[in-house]
Amino acid sequence: MSRGDSSQIITVRDRYGEIMTRTRVDPRGRQVILIDNREFYREGRRPTYTRFEDELPPLRIGIPQDRYIVETSTADRDQIYAALMAPPVEAIERPYALDEIRTSERLRDKMPRVDLNTITFDFGSAAISPSQFDALTAVGQAMEQAITQSPDQIFLIEGHTDAVGSDNDNLVLSDRRAEAIAVALSSNFNVPPENLVTQGYGEQYLKVPTEAAEQQNRRVTVRNITELAQGS
């Protein structure tokens, strides 16, 4: 894929459609490797992943809760940037495949997160209302700053729903919500889409534990997963 500045984004997928590598090549031919999962796809076979919830001990968080989970309703751009660039809260044993990160809450929880609680969605909708776009400004600017500083940064955009509706419908809806935020960040800020990956989790991780319709559960979260993917 070519971009307007003559740079190229080269994504290589396996036979199942999973990303093996994603590389940005600038107009001068310099390469930045964004995703490299080749280690996990040897001999053309899909890898078997460990269930890290069973293998790893309970997570111990050694930083204040408001720095581990940063909410956009109370944080400024500097606080959001600090959360997006914060080191993991425990050691990273090795590089993890993108699928491992997407599917394991225990791995993702190694990284602080930013909850976009200033952007909630109407029931059954993935649309961002015009009045909420301003709420993305601090997040978009913080991500711009992070990518300008380190062009290989990868951010996971996580979509969530409340517990009303079928599991499958909510999973699809949460994917759409994550994608809507990713598109908004790329369209309105200098956040290249190749630095973003999205994943919907349906109703698996309720912020407010209730089976009823709850707007706070219809949300999106952002994490920097670069160190998880690189094993730094």
Side-chain angles (χ1 to χ4, degrees):
M1 178 181 69
S2 298
R3 300 183 62 188
D5 61 358
S6 298
S7 62
Q8 288 187 310
I9 310 304
I10 302 171
T11 299
V12 178
R13 298 179 183 271
D14 71 355
R15 70 179 71 175
Y16 306 102
E18 302 293 345
I19 296 174
M20 293 184 65
T21 61
R22 177 180 291 167
T23 307
R24 183 193 296 119
V25 184
D26 72 13
R28 300 173 65 181
R30 293 174 298 192
Q31 297 186 5
V32 174
I33 297 175
L34 299 169
I35 297 171
D36 187 352
N37 283 333
R38 287 172 295 183
E39 178 70 19
F40 306 96
Y41 291 88
R42 291 180 175 175
E43 300 179 9
R45 295 177 300 180
R46 302 195 81 171
T48 300
Y49 299 128
T50 302
R51 178 173 165 79
F52 294 99
E53 283 73 6
D54 297 333
E55 293 293 324
L56 295 176
L59 185 70
R60 299 182 65 179
I61 302 169
I63 61 175
Q65 184 73 7
D66 62 355
R67 287 171 48 202
Y68 177 65
I69 301 176
V70 174
E71 296 187 333
T72 53
S73 59
T74 57
D76 59 23
R77 186 182 71 172
D78 290 342
Q79 291 168 316
I80 292 169
Y81 173 80
L84 291 177
M85 296 300 286
V89 297
E90 71 174 12
I92 295 176
E93 299 81 4
R94 61 170 174 82
Y96 296 108
L98 184 57
D99 274 2
E100 289 180 306
I101 298 166
R102 279 173 158 162
T103 58
S104 173
E105 181 186 21
R106 180 63 179 81
L107 287 186
R108 295 192 304 276
D109 282 348
K110 289 174 177 280
M111 304 306 301
R113 74 177 199 241
V114 175
D115 280 0
L116 278 63
N117 66 333
T118 43
I119 295 182
T120 53
F121 298 86
D122 291 337
F123 180 77
S125 173
I128 306 170
S129 66
S131 62
Q132 291 186 319
F133 270 104
D134 285 346
L136 271 178
T137 299
V139 176
Q141 291 176 345
M143 293 173 78
E144 282 184 23
Q145 182 181 352
I147 293 169
T148 298
Q149 178 179 324
S150 300
D152 63 346
Q153 299 299 295
I154 294 293
F155 297 94
L156 176 62
I157 314 295
E158 307 171 15
H160 301 274
T161 70
D162 60 25
V164 179
S166 72
D167 290 347
N168 186 67
D169 286 348
N170 283 338
L171 194 59
V172 172
L173 180 58
S174 64
D175 275 331
R176 290 171 51 214
R177 287 174 175 168
E179 290 165 3
I181 293 295
V183 169
L185 288 167
S186 295
S187 301
N188 295 280
F189 303 93
N190 190 28
V191 178
E194 62 267 19
N195 290 75
L196 306 177
V197 293
T198 62
Q199 181 66 46
Y201 294 100
E203 59 189 75
Q204 293 181 71
Y205 308 113
L206 299 175
K207 191 163 188 174
V208 178
T210 176
E211 296 297 308
E214 172 54 60
Q215 192 175 55
Q216 291 186 64
N217 287 330
R218 304 195 290 267
R219 70 198 193 280
V220 166
T221 286
V222 180
R223 297 180 210 253
N224 188 332
I225 61 168
T226 310
E227 293 196 51
L228 291 175
Q230 294 180 352
S232 302

